[in-house]
Amino acid sequence: MPDPIELSAVRPGDVLLHMGRGEISKLIAWASDSGYSHSALVFDVQTVAEAVSVGVRKTGLADRAVDSTDFSVIDVLRFGGRNANLDPAALSALQAKVDGFIGAPYPLDELFELGVVCALRSKLDWPEPAKWLLRVALDHVIQTDPGRMVCSEFVYRSFAEAATVPAGRLRPQIEVVDQPPVPFPHIDWLALLKEYEEARHHSPNRALPPAPTAGEGRGLQTRTMAPAAGKPDADVAVQAERIRHLRAPSATRALTSRAAIEDPWPNPATVTPGDLANSPSFGCVGRLLQSA
């Protein structure tokens, strides 16, 4: 368990990983094999930015640090490591990107589909090369809508798309790692239904989307990948070669050696709080909130 920290230790640019108390939170944490259900970004010394059912918003940092009603755990991550500092230019670029996202709606209607995809890729008892290939395949069929974001997608895109020099300087590295499976939680299904209906009531997108026209579909569909360094497929090929190298017999390397495998260009829509927690781009600063 991370060491407890005071609010004064939290800096602008830090990421807050939460475990919520609701039934939806239990399912999100289970689907990503992690102890977290929500992520947010510390905007400045007074403010947290996050994507919730009402859309991307800012809220008070001091209130969040003591919100044991809604959250049982809040851990703090820092880009670059526990003792790192974002320089003023990088922080300004990050904040500008966050400001551009304020008000973007939350894709509540697609939350179930995203949950199924994340659970599928994390629950299959496959070695990490196969899990990596599965993740790449699933990421290609989930549509990315830049105008609608879940919580961890918002955090990932705020860093990855910040207008830094050089470009992509803050893009978090997402890896496929073996995690101990989280058992399916006890769910109060009536409470889950009530929680979902309340979230829909407060969502700005309560109306169902229009029916698809001929040739169109909703939810699961092929996405257009934004290029990473121009050639995302080349990145995939490099990673595939790395997998083969890691598994090839070697006189200087034990056959049991293991290494995490990077997802070279993850679909932001399927980045989870667990992905952020496992990312080598972040270091754990400590635990801001621990409540029974």
Side-chain angles (χ1 to χ4, degrees):
M1 185 178 77
D3 294 331
I5 59 172
E6 299 294 329
L7 180 58
S8 58
V10 179
R11 302 174 189 169
D14 285 350
V15 172
L16 304 183
L17 295 183
H18 309 61
M19 183 59 213
R21 294 192 179 279
E23 305 305 299
I24 292 177
S25 295
K26 293 179 186 178
L27 288 175
I28 293 173
W30 172 81
S32 62
D33 272 337
S34 76
Y36 305 109
S37 62
H38 180 62
S39 55
L41 198 155
V42 179
F43 184 82
D44 56 30
V45 294
Q46 297 180 322
T47 315
V48 171
E50 61 186 351
V52 292
S53 61
V54 297
V56 178
R57 67 173 187 181
K58 292 179 182 176
T59 190
L61 174 58
D63 290 340
R64 177 58 53 84
V66 295
D67 186 3
S68 58
T69 300
D70 296 317
F71 305 103
S72 59
V73 165
I74 300 178
D75 288 340
V76 181
L77 303 184
R78 182 163 296 151
F79 189 86
R82 176 175 183 150
N83 298 317
N85 283 301
L86 285 179
D87 62 75
L91 178 59
S92 178
L94 179 64
Q95 291 171 327
K97 193 64 187 180
V98 168
D99 278 334
F101 285 143
I102 296 299
Y106 190 92
L108 191 62
D109 292 328
E110 284 81 33
L111 191 59
F112 175 75
E113 292 173 350
L114 293 175
V116 169
V117 166
C118 292
L120 175 63
R121 73 186 192 197
S122 67
K123 298 301 176 183
L124 290 179
D125 187 19
W126 289 359
E128 71 270 53
K131 283 189 175 182
W132 174 80
L133 291 171
L134 176 64
R135 177 169 186 145
V136 170
L138 291 174
D139 275 3
H140 274 74
V141 298
I142 288 291
Q143 183 184 31
T144 299
D145 182 351
R148 292 150 57 88
M149 290 180 288
V150 293
C151 63
S152 43
E153 177 183 7
F154 161 70
V155 171
Y156 176 83
R157 290 186 59 197
S158 294
F159 279 93
E161 300 175 14
T164 57
V165 179
R169 174 184 163 197
L170 298 181
R171 184 167 74 92
Q173 182 178 344
I174 301 299
E175 294 185 338
V176 179
V177 297
D178 278 341
Q179 288 288 103
V182 175
F184 192 80
H186 171 74
I187 298 295
D188 183 333
W189 298 103
L190 291 179
L192 174 65
L193 179 61
K194 181 180 179 181
E195 187 178 334
Y196 178 74
E197 288 302 321
E198 287 177 350
R200 281 186 57 84
H201 176 75
H202 291 98
S203 170
N205 300 316
R206 282 180 288 168
L208 291 175
T213 58
E216 292 183 341
R218 288 186 57 232
L220 295 177
Q221 52 188 286
T222 303
R223 71 188 182 101
T224 300
M225 293 186 68
K231 295 182 179 180
D233 289 341
D235 290 339
V236 171
V238 168
Q239 288 296 317
E241 179 58 34
R242 181 166 179 259
I243 293 171
R244 286 191 289 270
H245 171 73
L246 288 170
R247 297 312 185 270
S250 170
T252 60
R253 187 183 67 252
L255 290 176
T256 57
S257 64
R258 304 176 65 82
I261 300 174
E262 182 181 0
D263 186 346
W265 195 249
N267 186 335
T270 61
V271 171
T272 68
D275 288 330
L276 297 176
N278 291 325
S279 171
S281 299
F282 297 98
C284 184
V285 178
R287 181 153 292 181
L288 183 62
L289 174 70
Q290 175 74 63
S291 179

